[in-house]
Amino acid sequence: MKTFSQFALDFVGTKQGDKRHKQIIDGYNNNCKPLPRGYKVTYTVSWCATFVSYVMLMCKAINPPLECSCYYMHKLATKNKQIVKTPKVDDLIIYDWGNNGTLDHVGFIYKIEGTKLFVVEGNKSRQVSTRVIDKSNKEIECFIRVKQENATIETKTNDLTKVAKDVINGVYGNGQDRKDNLSSMGYDYKEVQKLVNEILKKS
């Protein structure tokens, strides 16, 4: 099964009004039962949260904060204690453009390089697209972590080169989160980090 961000990236280029956009909207309306607040999404309204919810539904998320509104999605995630401080790949990211107290937009983090977050989003200029944003950007409201059935990170591999490359891509998070995630999977943190350093040095 693909992870949230992998599944979402498959939709890059989808434009509002086209066949795949309608697939997203219909998929949300038909699979999100009961519909949050009884609201059926139409093809003409803002759909970033609807896209994120559709992806979580298709990827068998566990207790996902399904919503077509960023505000209510954040509210549900807060209630579910899914808000996290340190982002990692496949986390949701919610923005408050202009820092005016209104939650405007949401997407999935698909890669992390240093302080740079690579995000895939629905309804960015009316299509599924990507952006790069610094994690220190004050317009980032929060990160939301949702578990997924059979997520790829949960399966241990003996290919340490792949693990090291996943570390570089941010799959295991950063700092203490990285250490904890690697250790919980049974990997030797120092051994993996040594390989990471060798790969980075060659590149």
Side-chain angles (χ1 to χ4, degrees):
M1 180 188 298
K2 291 186 177 182
T3 64
F4 299 141
S5 59
Q6 289 171 341
F7 188 88
L9 284 167
D10 285 343
F11 282 82
V12 168
T14 298
K15 297 181 180 179
Q16 184 165 331
D18 70 13
K19 184 177 180 180
R20 299 200 82 195
H21 169 249
K22 292 178 179 178
Q23 175 187 331
I24 293 165
I25 304 304
D26 292 344
Y28 173 86
N29 287 331
N30 294 333
N31 292 285
C32 198
K33 302 292 184 182
L35 282 171
R37 298 172 290 115
Y39 181 79
K40 186 175 182 179
V41 179
T42 65
Y43 299 138
T44 57
V45 299
S46 297
W47 48 283
C48 62
T50 303
F51 174 64
V52 164
S53 293
Y54 170 72
V55 171
M56 290 191 288
L57 283 165
M58 295 299 103
C59 293
K60 297 185 178 180
I62 299 172
N63 196 27
L66 301 175
E67 253 295 346
C68 57
S69 156
C70 292
Y71 169 80
Y72 285 104
M73 181 174 283
H74 176 267
K75 192 172 182 179
L76 279 171
T78 301
K79 180 181 178 181
N80 295 340
K81 297 181 179 179
Q82 295 167 312
I83 306 294
V84 295
K85 292 183 178 179
T86 305
K88 71 178 194 177
V89 169
D90 285 320
D91 282 350
L92 284 67
I93 177 172
I94 287 187
Y95 311 98
D96 173 4
W97 301 134
N99 294 308
N100 58 9
T102 300
L103 303 183
D104 305 284
H105 199 57
V106 62
F108 287 106
I109 298 170
Y110 69 88
K111 184 169 68 171
I112 300 175
E113 288 185 356
T115 63
K116 300 296 182 184
L117 304 177
F118 294 74
V119 188
V120 55
E121 305 162 358
N123 200 35
K124 181 177 182 285
S125 300
R126 307 187 105 193
Q127 61 184 311
V128 178
S129 188
T130 61
R131 85 168 72 237
V132 181
I133 189 168
D134 196 276
K135 67 174 66 172
S136 65
N137 191 305
K138 296 187 183 302
E139 291 180 307
I140 297 174
E141 175 68 24
C142 71
F143 306 106
I144 298 172
R145 186 158 302 155
V146 180
K147 293 182 180 180
Q148 177 187 4
E149 291 183 17
N150 302 318
T152 55
I153 190 173
E154 295 175 2
T155 304
K156 185 177 179 180
T157 175
N158 291 323
D159 184 356
L160 287 185
T161 299
K162 181 184 183 305
V163 176
K165 288 180 179 178
D166 283 344
V167 166
I168 292 169
N169 288 329
V171 171
Y172 292 91
N174 293 297
Q176 190 60 47
D177 278 350
R178 176 189 294 178
K179 290 183 180 180
D180 293 343
N181 287 329
L182 287 169
S183 296
S184 69
M185 291 291 295
Y187 297 119
D188 183 324
Y189 174 76
K190 290 183 179 179
E191 186 180 2
V192 174
Q193 191 60 47
K194 181 180 178 182
L195 192 53
V196 167
N197 294 337
E198 290 175 359
I199 293 172
L200 292 175
K201 188 176 181 180
K202 288 179 182 178
S203 63

